[in-house]
């Protein structure tokens, strides 16, 4: 039920269509909200300690009915008494709550007349009570109440009824028309610009302004008042706790600064010099929802604007996370080419990109935009040419800082490939449909990836894992932590230990482990166990992973223990590792990675017997640093375990949930025997440039008699001796007698043919005939070699072809994985890998 709107405040609204917008807000208000706490007629809230979503607790003092802000703390009156206040201050909160129900009168009798003013404290009316306190102060505190009764002066008659709507208390003698309680309310509000007409036109609670667990919205302007109430109701839906102390502070600032909307209240809160973090959190939440309501009311789509508010649009903060942004402006204006800016906005909206990816997209597109501004047809996408594409490519390859220092290769590579992916994935979008095909030649360009060489095996040695398992009982949470609903710390110890064991055994990303559903463990028809999980990073739902029976037993033990916990938030009941929080949005989600991370590293620090040296997967003892025990290292350990067991590359890729085996290869170190086996398999298909089969070589002979080239192998003695840096044919491998290739080189030969064909098309209108003929002949030579290799593979049996494919995939991955002893610099990647 919505209170009547004071007409005098309507003109304070900043909205030209204020009345209609106010009606829109009124329609959204939930009726019967918090019936034991909220009085919709008076717009007044009185905290109920029985509500777990209210930050109010019974006073710790015996026989006190007051409410405290924290559990086990005294109420403000008792706290004041304990710090040296009047002995009877604790009775203040009790008596204030009985003031309306018990019509007690002052006990003072003076000049034969009884004082008939209402009791305030200690059986005295407000005037006599403060007169007694004044005498006590003058006497140094030694002035008993009985002595004052004998010397008190003045007896006051019973007053008339308070004139405020709904108030049945009598007026105060020194403030005609209103009672004492309303006098104190009016005294405070008068300093904040509220006129008496505004104050007296609204029904108000008689008491409660002394209590920090009560507040009223009746003094706020109408739009702010409704936005404030809707904000509190929305926070209830999201599970946030309501803290009356925080809300009272927000109301005070709103009245002091005379703000009219939640947006302006949030700005006023941020301008305060004092720490207002709790209040800013509340007003930021309110301004987000208020903005959403305004957009709903006007029907305007923010995504059509050039500036987006990530919080208002409820964008995810980053990929693989369900956390909604609480702040952040996304400005598309740096993309100064209109069609490109619209394409970026459409891509962000259609693909529902998180805020971090949108920022990356804006940064990448702004580089291309600046380059196209220098081109004659940059603003007309249908007229762009290959020359425009080259100009854009050059813009990325020559990026510099503000100090004219070249950007790092990795920065150039990431931004350029972000733009290429944007053009490719958005090719069906309306904003990119008119883009000229010639401009899409960007797909044939590339930049050095700039990845740092990493020769460290990130997997955790078995010797270390044995020590960790032996000290599993030390993986415990803090004993003195105030756990939700008084659950035992041992319950959370079991949870954290289970998470560690699943990280160790399953090799999933930490977020995937923490996000497991309670029924994740299932069984195939033959009773073999597996888990079903989601992978937010790759947007895969319901993936299956076979597990060992020992791991299944660990999961079963924890789930059985979890079934005994009955007070879990209903929205989190389906989770295997529900949050420790008892309220708010966090209670509906799994425990956070950061929360587990803290407990995990405290455990690592407790273990004193971790070895200083440990054997790696190759059996070599190396120095071990405990800093390697990060959560993601368990995923590397799982992958290395698969590799050491000679698991096929395609199986490793599938179990790791990677799109390419090259990604999986970054998690493992391939041992010498697997390299030799892969080379032996592909060497069976080696041919020369005429298609003549070459006899297979032993592993040492293979290494000694050839050198890797960008497109195959070279057996020319001087070039082999020079490590591939002394080619007499100037790297025209397709026409060289000493060139050898096998099926593992097919992908690179295909890519080289595409690159040469592109160069040929660009050279035709500008080059002499002999240049065109040379390129044509070179393309023909590689096409011939490609056909011969394909024919060689077709002649193999299906089983042999499968072995060839697996070996080729392994060698391709090795060629893109950093090695401890890198080969001499060659402009393109080398296949197959020449072992060292």
């Amino acid at each position: 039920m919505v209170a009547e709107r004071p007409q005098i405040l309507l003109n304070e609204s900043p909205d030209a269509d204020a009345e209609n917008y106010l009606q829109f807000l009124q329609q959204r208000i939930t009726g019967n909200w918090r019936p034991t706490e909220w009085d919709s007629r008076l717009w007044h809230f009185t905290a109920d300690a029985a509500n777990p979503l209210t930050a109010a607790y019974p006073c710790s003092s015996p026989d006190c009915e007051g409410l405290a802000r924290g559990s086990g703390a005294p109420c403000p009156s008792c706290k004041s008494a304990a710090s040296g206040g009047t002995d009877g201050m604790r009775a203040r909160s009790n008596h204030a709550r009985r003031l309306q129900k018990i019509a007690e009168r002052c006990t003072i009798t003076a000049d034969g007349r009884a004082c008939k003013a209402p009791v305030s404290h200690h059986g005295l009316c407000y005037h006599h009570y403060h007169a007694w306190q004044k005498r006590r102060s003058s006497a140094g505190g030694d002035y008993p109440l009985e002595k004052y009764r004998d010397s008190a002066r003045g007896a006051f008659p019973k007053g008339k009824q308070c004139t405020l709507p709904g108030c049945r208390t009598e007026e105060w003698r020194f403030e005609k028309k209103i009672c004492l309680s309303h006098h104190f309310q009016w005294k405070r509000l008068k300093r904040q610009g509220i006129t008496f007409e505004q104050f007296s036109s609204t029904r108000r609670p008689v008491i409660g302004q002394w209590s920090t667990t009560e507040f009223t919205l009746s003094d706020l302007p109408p739009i702010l008042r409704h936005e404030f109430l809707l904000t509190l109701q929305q926070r209830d839906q999201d599970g946030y706790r309501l803290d009356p102390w925080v809300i009272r502070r927000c109301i005070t600032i709103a009245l002091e600064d005379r703000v009219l909307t939640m947006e302006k209240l949030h700005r006023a809160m941020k301008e305060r010099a004092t720490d207002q973090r709790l209040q800013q959190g509340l007003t930021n939440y309110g301004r987000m929802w208020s903005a959403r309501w305004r957009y709903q009311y006007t029907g305007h789509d923010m995504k059509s604007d050039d500036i987006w508010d990530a919080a208002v649009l409820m964008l995810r903060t980053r990929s693989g996370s369900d956390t909604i942004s609480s702040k952040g402006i996304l400005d598309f204006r740096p993309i100064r080419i209109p069609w490109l800016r619209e394409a970026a906005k459409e891509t962000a909206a259609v693909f529902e990109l998180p805020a971090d990816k949108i920022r990356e997209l804006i940064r990448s597109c702004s580089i291309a935009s600046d380059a196209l501004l220098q081109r004659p047809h940059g603003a007309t996408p249908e007229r762009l040419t290959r020359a425009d594409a080259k100009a854009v490519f050059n813009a990325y390859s020559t990026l510099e800082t503000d100090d004219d220092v070249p950007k790092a290769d990795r920065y150039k590579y990431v931004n350029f490939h972000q733009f290429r992916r944007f053009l490719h994935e958005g090719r069906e979008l309306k904003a990119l449909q008119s883009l000229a095909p010639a401009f899409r030649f960007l797909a044939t360009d590339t930049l050095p990836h700039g990845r740092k060489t990493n020769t460290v095996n990130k997997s955790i040695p078995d010797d270390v894992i044995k020590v960790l398992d032996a000290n599993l009982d030390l993986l415990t949470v803090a004993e003195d932590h105030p756990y939700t609903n008084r659950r035992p710390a041992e319950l959370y110890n079991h949870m954290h230990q289970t998470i560690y064991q699943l990280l160790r055994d399953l090799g999933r990303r930490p977020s995937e482990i923490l996000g497991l559903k309670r029924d994740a463990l299932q069984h195939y028809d033959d009773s073999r166990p597996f888990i079903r999980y989601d992978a937010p990073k790759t947007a895969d739902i319901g993936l299956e992973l076979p597990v060992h029976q020992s791991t299944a037993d660990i999961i079963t033990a924890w789930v059985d223990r979890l079934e005994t916990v009955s007070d879990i938030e209903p929205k989190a009941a389906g989770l295997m590792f529900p949050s420790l929080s008892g309220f708010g949005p966090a209670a509906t989600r799994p425990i956070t990675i950061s929360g587990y991370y803290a407990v995990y590293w405290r455990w690592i620090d407790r273990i004193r017997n971790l070895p200083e040296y440990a054997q790696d997967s190759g059996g070599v003892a190396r120095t071990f640093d405990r800093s390697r025990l990060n959560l993601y290292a368990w995923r590397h350990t799982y992958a290395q375990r698969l590799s050491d067991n000679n698991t096929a590359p395609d199986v490793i890729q599938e179990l790791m949930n990677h799109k390419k085996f090259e990604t999986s290869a970054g998690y493992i170190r391939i041992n010498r025997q697997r390299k030799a086996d892969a080379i032996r398999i592909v060497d069976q298909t080696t041919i020369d440039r005429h298609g003549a089969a070459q006899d297979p070589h032993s592993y040492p002979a293979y290494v000694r008699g050839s050198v890797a080239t960008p497109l195959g192998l070279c057996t020319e003695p001087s070039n082999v001796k020079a490590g591939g840096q002394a080619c007499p044919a100037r790297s025209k491998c397709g026409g060289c007698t000493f060139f050898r290739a096998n099926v593992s080189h097919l992908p690179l030969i295909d890519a080289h043919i595409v690159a040469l064909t592109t160069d040929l098309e660009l050279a035709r209108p500008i080059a002499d005939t002999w240049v065109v003929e040379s390129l044509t002949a070179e393309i023909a030579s590689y096409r011939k070699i490609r056909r011969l290799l394909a024919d060689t593979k077709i002649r193999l049996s299906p089983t042999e072809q499968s072995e060839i494919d697996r070996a080729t995939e392994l060698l391709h991955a090795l060629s893109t994985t950093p090695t401890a002893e890198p080969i001499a610099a060659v402009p393109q990647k080398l296949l197959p890998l020449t072992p060292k």
Side-chain angles (χ1 to χ4, degrees), residues 109-125:
T109 300
D111 300 328
R113 291 185 302 153
C115 180
K116 296 183 179 180
V119 167
S120 175
H121 299 88
H122 298 272
L124 305 179
C125 66

Side-chain angles (χ1 to χ4, degrees), residues 354-569:
D356 66 326
K357 293 300 180 183
I358 296 178
R359 292 188 181 93
E360 293 175 5
L361 178 63
I362 293 173
R363 182 176 64 245
S364 175
C365 289
S366 63
I367 298 171
S369 174
D370 292 342
L372 291 174
L373 279 174
Q374 310 302 320
R375 306 294 300 172
H377 305 299
T380 52
E382 64 276 5
R383 300 182 63 182
L384 295 177
T385 64
R386 173 62 174 160
D388 297 313
K390 278 294 184 183
V392 170
F393 174 75
N394 291 335
Y396 286 101
S397 61
T398 58
L399 284 174
E400 295 179 342
T401 65
D402 295 336
D403 299 329
D404 298 329
V405 177
K407 292 277 192 179
D409 287 345
R410 185 62 182 169
Y411 182 87
K412 300 175 184 177
Y413 175 86
V414 169
N415 280 277
F416 176 63
H417 281 264
Q418 168 77 28
F419 185 70
R420 285 206 324 181
R421 187 164 58 250
F422 157 70
L423 294 181
H424 175 72
E425 296 178 352
R427 59 188 180 277
E428 300 299 330
L429 298 179
K430 180 180 178 181
L432 292 177
Q433 286 182 355
S434 61
L435 188 62
F439 188 74
R440 299 184 187 275
F441 265 96
L442 279 170
T444 64
D445 296 317
T446 188
L447 287 171
H449 56 67
R451 293 190 183 95
K452 294 181 179 179
T453 301
N454 181 17
T455 61
V456 178
N457 187 349
K458 295 182 180 180
S459 64
I460 301 174
D462 291 339
D463 295 346
V464 176
I465 297 177
K466 292 178 181 178
V467 175
L468 295 176
D469 291 345
N471 290 275
L472 186 60
D473 59 310
L474 298 180
L475 179 50
T476 59
V477 295
E479 293 289 342
D480 57 348
H481 186 82
Y483 294 101
T484 304
N485 298 334
R486 303 185 183 278
R487 296 173 189 160
E490 195 276 330
L491 174 69
Y492 296 115
N493 295 343
H494 191 178
M495 175 193 292
H496 286 78
Q497 292 168 8
T498 301
I499 293 173
Y500 156 72
Q501 294 175 95
L502 297 189
L503 285 168
R504 178 198 64 193
D505 294 351
L506 303 183
R508 300 307 91 189
R509 302 174 181 93
S511 60
E512 295 167 0
I513 294 293
L514 299 182
L516 287 174
K517 300 295 188 294
R518 190 179 296 197
D519 59 353
L521 179 63
Q522 300 182 26
H523 293 80
Y524 294 113
D525 293 339
D526 59 359
S527 299
R528 290 184 298 115
F530 70 95
I531 65 164
R532 179 169 280 116
Y533 70 99
D534 299 335
K537 183 175 182 179
T538 58
D540 290 319
I541 306 298
L543 296 173
E544 296 182 2
L545 178 72
V547 300
H548 293 290
Q549 185 58 49
S550 59
T551 305
D553 294 340
I554 293 172
I555 297 175
T556 300
W558 166 245
V559 172
D560 290 345
R561 175 69 180 274
L562 194 60
E563 294 292 341
T564 64
V565 182
S566 59
D567 55 357
I568 297 176
E569 163 68 35

Side-chain angles (χ1 to χ4, degrees), residues 642-683:
L642 294 174
S643 177
D644 292 343
N645 291 334
N646 292 326
T647 306
D650 56 336
V651 177
I652 296 178
Q653 174 190 336
E654 181 179 358
L655 292 176
M656 292 293 290
N657 186 30
H658 287 146
K659 303 302 180 184
K660 298 179 180 179
F661 179 69
E662 286 85 347
T663 307
S664 302
Y667 285 73
I668 59 181
R669 294 293 178 267
I670 307 297
N671 58 46
R672 178 186 175 91
Q673 184 58 47
R674 291 203 72 186
K675 297 177 187 177
D677 291 343
I679 291 173
R680 175 182 53 78
I681 293 173
V682 298
D683 193 34

Side-chain angles (χ1 to χ4, degrees), residues 44 106 153 220 540 596 831:
H44 182 74
C106 181
R153 296 180 181 180
L220 299 177
D540 290 319
Y596 180 78
L831 288 178

Side-chain angles (χ1 to χ4, degrees), residues 302-366:
M302 180 187 287
K303 293 184 178 180
S304 64
D305 299 334
D306 290 342
I307 298 179
W308 294 5
D309 189 318
V312 174
L313 291 175
M314 302 183 71
L315 299 179
R316 292 176 294 129
T317 56
R318 61 184 181 277
S319 300
S321 172
D322 293 330
T323 303
I324 302 299
S325 300
S326 61
K327 60 182 179 180
I329 297 298
L330 304 172
D331 190 352
F332 288 86
R333 291 176 300 179
I335 308 175
R336 294 185 286 172
I337 296 293
W339 68 265
L340 188 56
R341 181 168 60 249
E342 294 302 315
K345 291 193 295 185
E346 187 178 1
T347 298
V350 171
F351 293 102
E352 299 181 347
L353 298 182
D356 66 326
K357 293 300 180 183
I358 296 178
R359 292 188 181 93
E360 293 175 5
L361 178 63
I362 293 173
R363 182 176 64 245
S364 175
C365 289
S366 63

